[in-house]
Amino acid sequence: MSIKEQLNTNIPKHLAIIMDGNGRWAKSKGLLRALGHESGTKTVNRVVDACRDLGIEYLTLYAFSTENWNRPKLEVDTLMRLLVKSLKRELSNFIKGGIRLNVIGNIDALPKKAKEELLSVMEKTKDLDTVVLTLALSYGAREELVNTVQELAEKAKNNLISPHLITEDVIKEHLYTKNIPDVDLLIRTSGEQRISNFLLWQIAYAELYFTPVLWPDFKEEDLYEALLNYQQRERRFGKTSEQLS
Ligand code: FPP
């Protein structure tokens, strides 16, 4: 039986990925970092298609962090250009595959062209529901939490909510990810074992999977391997094994 056939059951509903290693991939080949990002974009397309084929309903990709603004301007410009180019190219694939585009992060901080293209693709795919593909762009989890606290404090100040009624569910409803379930599996490529300010609230019970494979080299088989590994884990959510069985 092929790996793919073994993956029929217990597919995570929400997969999140920290795509890391584009720069090292390029360096190892004596190429410019930009070519690493370009190759990483091809991996994005492959992984989106693979997730759709596997029945993963929510895929969230860390494409650009709030900290990434500190990179050299040329590299930031390259990433934004790649984003626009790949959105234009992938729109027909999104429509064919039932992929709805969603964005989390401070979209207003993005260049006008990138923001416009994102909004346009989001509008054109808003009724699709096979996969919700969320790009985290100019995203930082602490910033998301600060926003949430500010919104709730404002509501409390205006007597729209009473502080003792601020529950976990209420907080969830104020996050950028309000319509998305918690993350089941988080993958990070390139051997780094960090969370880097990604979805801190939403990964509270996620399984974490770290692979040394650099993002441009990450293939369907690497995804299957991560999913097989996930399926072998016992998610207890604080209970005992006996309680679960
Ligand atoms: C990490 O590699 C990757 C990024 C900072 C950006 C991820 C972007 C892409 C995969 C391409 C564009 C995305 C879309 C959605 C079109 P790194 O540069 O940190 O690698 P390094 O740690 O080896 O230097």
Side-chain angles (χ1 to χ4, degrees):
M1 192 162 42
S2 74
I3 292 194
K4 204 174 163 197
E5 284 161 343
Q6 289 176 54
L7 282 172
N8 277 336
T9 54
N10 192 17
I11 286 289
K13 198 176 173 80
H14 185 177
L15 168 65
I17 307 183
I18 301 175
M19 312 180 284
D20 198 6
N22 293 349
R24 275 163 284 165
W25 181 88
K27 195 170 176 194
S28 73
K29 296 187 153 32
L31 303 171
L32 293 171
R33 292 179 63 84
L35 292 172
H37 294 313
E38 195 170 317
S39 184
T41 307
K42 291 185 189 136
T43 306
V44 171
N45 301 338
R46 276 202 306 270
V47 166
V48 171
D49 287 347
C51 286
R52 189 204 48 223
D53 291 349
L54 288 163
I56 291 173
E57 291 172 58
Y58 296 87
L59 172 64
T60 302
L61 301 175
Y62 207 0
F64 195 85
S65 71
T66 44
E67 291 77 18
N68 285 152
W69 290 114
N70 298 321
R71 292 197 175 194
K73 183 173 181 312
L74 186 65
E75 181 164 346
V76 171
D77 290 348
T78 300
L79 283 165
M80 295 301 152
R81 197 173 32 77
L82 279 174
L83 174 67
V84 173
K85 195 167 129 188
S86 109
L87 287 171
K88 281 189 197 297
R89 202 185 41 218
E90 288 306 304
L91 175 63
S92 59
N93 191 33
F94 287 172
I95 292 174
K96 205 164 56 192
I99 294 159
R100 184 198 315 162
L101 182 73
N102 180 40
V103 178
I104 54 172
N106 180 11
I107 186 175
D108 289 330
L110 301 176
K112 192 162 165 268
K113 248 189 180 169
K115 183 179 164 183
E116 280 173 5
E117 197 60 38
L118 282 163
L119 292 176
S120 151
V121 176
M122 280 162 69
E123 172 62 27
K124 288 178 181 136
T125 60
K126 70 179 190 320
D127 296 325
L128 305 175
D129 61 1
T130 308
V131 183
V132 176
L133 166 63
T134 300
L135 296 182
L137 286 161
S138 191
Y139 173 86
R142 286 186 173 181
E143 190 177 281
E144 177 182 30
L145 292 170
V146 169
N147 276 340
T148 300
V149 172
Q150 285 179 346
E151 271 184 39
L152 288 169
E154 197 62 37
K155 285 190 180 171
K157 192 176 88 180
N158 296 322
N159 290 324
L160 294 170
I161 191 163
S162 157
H164 74 275
L165 292 180
I166 299 177
T167 59
E168 290 191 13
D169 284 341
V170 170
I171 291 176
K172 188 178 184 313
E173 282 307 306
H174 287 78
L175 296 171
Y176 297 149
T177 50
K178 57 171 170 274
N179 298 317
I180 298 178
D182 276 355
V183 176
D184 298 302
L185 172 64
L186 172 69
I187 298 176
R188 180 169 190 152
T189 59
S190 92
E192 307 291 348
Q193 304 197 1
R194 286 190 293 279
I195 304 301
S196 300
N197 204 13
F198 189 42
L199 300 176
L200 294 180
W201 177 279
Q202 300 86 340
I203 60 164
Y205 289 101
E207 295 295 327
L208 308 181
Y209 180 86
F210 300 102
T211 168
V213 178
L214 303 174
W215 181 248
D217 286 331
F218 191 82
K219 300 281 179 309
E220 284 84 345
E221 290 67 26
D222 299 301
L223 175 65
Y224 302 156
E225 215 173 292
L227 295 175
L228 275 183
N229 184 291
Y230 165 84
Q231 292 183 342
Q232 280 150 21
R233 300 191 192 180
E234 183 185 56
R235 302 185 74 201
R236 292 199 297 272
F237 300 96
K239 295 183 179 168
T240 65
S241 292
E242 291 69 30
Q243 283 176 302
L244 291 177
S245 59

